[in-house]
């Protein structure tokens, strides 16, 4: 097994369905307009070093921000750089992620799709696979299996919460429980990506191929809340962020969040946080810390990930 390095500059594109399926592909992208297609049956991890990157699976797009990492194992995915950005991606067929040094179980039962902040250890594991100096005009790199194994194991180490969720899923085997968790994560992902649309429960249940009643029960068993409660929590967090961290008027915020009127938004805000929007902007809100603890920001370190990016740039 070898490794192939690809560079996407500006509006260049790369379709991995046309590339060799028996090696690891390390892609670095920089600029605006670049596109990457990763086929179904592959596992990929993408790190944005600067700017933002649009990802889409099917008809569902979402943005990956600076210092955010997306692990994707659930079908094909497209990367589209609509703005100036700098990003790295490692992609390979799922079978290649099962190689040593550590894991012996099927990797499809270990890696769970997730968007997360990127700490220094995880960033370095990814950067080590993407360093162009390890490649001789695109030729195979020595010992890529070991480096991919380090990245894989670093990802697994950071999925303890997801593995606890996996244990709470229904199913007699690990594979069945993993399939159940993937269904629920699709629902959760859809809620995050369409938070302004407010999809009804029937539509969410259809994504998981469950009845609405069964979806509510199993979702609560695994995540400790219903889909509606999760969506409300995300909307509350977004409302709080917009009130406290933007200069938009309350009327503009209410309109952008889909409220019928400014007064309706203000009532909902006071009910959620125990204070008015004016008090929140003055730093007098009482439940801000509790809400952010419930919906924490990604735990990546700006300084450490920036250092890893600088290490990559110097090595180039």
């Amino acid at each position: 097994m070898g490794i192939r390095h690809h560079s996407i500059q500006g509006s260049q594109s790369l379709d991995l369905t046309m590339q060799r399926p028996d090696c690891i592909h390390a892609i670095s992208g920089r600029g605006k307009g670049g596109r990457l297609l990763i086929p179904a049956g592959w596992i990929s991890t993408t790190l944005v070093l600067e700017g933002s990157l649009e990802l889409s699976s099917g008809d569902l797009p979402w943005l990956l921000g600076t210092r955010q990492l997306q692990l994707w194992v659930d079908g094909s995915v497209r990367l589209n750089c609509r703005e100036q950005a700098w990003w790295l991606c490692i992609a390979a067929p799922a079978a290649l992620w099962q190689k040593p040094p550590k894991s012996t179980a099927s990797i499809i039962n270990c890696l769970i799709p997730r968007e997360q902040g990127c700490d220094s250890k995880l960033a370095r594991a990814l950067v080590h696979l993407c360093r162009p100096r390890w490649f001789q005009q695109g030729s195979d790199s020595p010992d890529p299996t070991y480096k991919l194994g380090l990245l894989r194991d670093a990802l697994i180490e950071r999925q303890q919460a997801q593995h606890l969720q996996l244990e709470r899923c229904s199913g007699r085997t690990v594979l069945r429980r993993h399939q159940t968790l993937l269904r629920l994560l699709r629902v959760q992902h859809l809620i995050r990506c369409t938070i302004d649309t407010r999809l009804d429960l029937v539509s969410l249940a259809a994504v998981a191929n469950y009845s609405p009643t069964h979806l509510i029960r199993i979702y609560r068993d695994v995540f400790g809340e219903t889909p509606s409660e999760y969506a409300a929590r995300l909307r509350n967090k977004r409302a709080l962020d917009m009130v406290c961290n933007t200069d938009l008027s309350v009327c503009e915020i209410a309109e952008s969040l889909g409220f019928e009127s400014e007064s309706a938004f203000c009532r909902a805000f006071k009910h959620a946080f125990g204070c008015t929007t004016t008090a929140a902007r003055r730093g007098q809100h009482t439940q801000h810390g509790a809400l952010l603890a419930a919906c924490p920001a990604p735990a990546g370190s700006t300084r450490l990930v920036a250092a890893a990016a600088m290490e990559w740039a110097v090595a180039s």
Side-chain angles (χ1 to χ4, degrees):
M1 178 177 65
I3 185 165
R4 295 287 179 179
H5 179 263
H6 309 272
S7 178
I8 298 177
Q9 300 291 332
S11 60
Q12 295 176 337
S13 62
L14 175 64
D15 184 351
L16 291 183
T17 62
M18 307 299 292
Q19 300 293 323
R20 289 173 49 183
D22 59 346
C23 63
I24 304 164
H25 295 269
I27 304 101
S28 62
R30 201 159 192 173
K32 179 180 179 181
R35 296 176 299 278
L36 172 65
L37 172 61
I38 303 171
W42 289 43
I43 296 175
S44 64
T45 179
T46 303
L47 170 63
V48 178
L49 298 171
E50 294 178 1
S52 64
L53 187 65
E54 182 183 277
L55 282 72
S56 61
S57 181
D59 297 327
L60 185 65
W62 69 97
L63 284 181
L64 192 65
T66 304
R67 301 180 301 279
Q68 290 293 97
L69 182 142
Q70 177 73 66
L71 171 63
W72 193 254
V73 304
D74 194 17
S76 64
V77 61
R78 292 179 179 271
L79 282 63
N80 193 353
C81 190
R82 297 188 181 275
E83 301 177 353
Q84 289 288 338
W86 180 18
W87 52 274
L88 306 174
C89 178
I90 299 296
L96 301 186
W97 289 77
Q98 298 181 38
K99 303 296 182 180
K102 183 186 293 186
S103 299
T104 56
S106 174
I107 201 66
I108 197 64
N109 295 329
C110 298
L111 288 174
I112 300 169
R114 182 190 178 198
E115 180 182 334
Q116 64 186 82
C118 187
D119 58 53
S120 60
K121 182 179 178 181
L122 193 54
R124 289 194 184 102
L126 196 149
V127 165
H128 285 175
L129 279 163
C130 290
R131 275 179 167 174
R133 73 173 186 177
W134 287 348
F135 303 90
Q136 299 296 326
Q137 297 180 350
S139 63
D140 291 346
S141 168
D143 197 20
T145 304
Y146 181 77
K147 294 178 175 61
L148 182 63
L150 291 179
L151 174 61
R152 176 204 60 216
D153 293 337
L155 289 166
I156 292 174
E157 287 175 4
R158 286 153 182 77
Q159 294 198 326
Q160 293 182 0
Q162 285 68 42
H163 292 146
L164 291 175
Q165 293 167 354
L166 184 64
E167 294 176 3
R168 293 194 291 267
C169 289
S170 58
R172 295 182 179 179
T173 66
V174 175
L175 180 59
R176 292 295 295 272
R177 291 195 294 272
H178 186 266
Q179 292 171 343
T180 298
L181 183 57
L182 284 182
R183 289 185 180 189
L184 297 178
L185 288 175
R186 289 182 198 128
V187 172
Q188 195 175 78
H189 185 69
L190 181 61
I191 293 172
R192 286 199 304 270
C193 294
T194 58
I195 191 65
D196 295 331
T197 307
R198 302 194 183 195
L199 296 176
D200 58 83
L201 188 60
V202 174
S203 300
L204 293 174
V207 171
N209 199 26
Y210 291 139
S211 69
T213 302
H214 186 60
L215 174 63
I216 290 175
R217 181 182 64 80
I218 194 170
Y219 194 100
R220 184 192 292 119
D221 289 344
V222 174
F223 298 118
E225 61 185 347
T226 67
S228 297
E229 290 169 344
Y230 176 68
R233 186 160 57 88
L234 291 184
R235 284 195 295 270
N236 285 342
K237 181 179 183 299
R238 183 173 178 186
L240 184 64
D241 288 340
M242 294 179 74
V243 168
C244 297
N245 300 321
T246 73
D247 295 326
L248 295 173
S249 67
V250 174
C251 182
E252 291 173 323
I253 294 173
E255 183 178 356
S256 67
L257 294 177
F259 283 85
E260 295 180 357
S261 64
E262 179 179 345
S263 59
F265 170 72
C266 289
R267 287 195 300 272
F269 188 92
K270 187 170 184 178
H271 180 266
F273 303 110
C275 67
T276 65
T277 55
T278 300
R281 283 192 157 165
R282 292 173 179 171
Q284 299 172 3
H285 46 293
T286 59
Q287 300 183 33
H288 189 180
L291 180 68
L292 292 184
C295 280
S301 166
T302 301
R303 180 179 60 82
L304 293 176
V305 175
M310 182 61 68
E311 179 184 6
W312 182 90
V314 171
S316 301

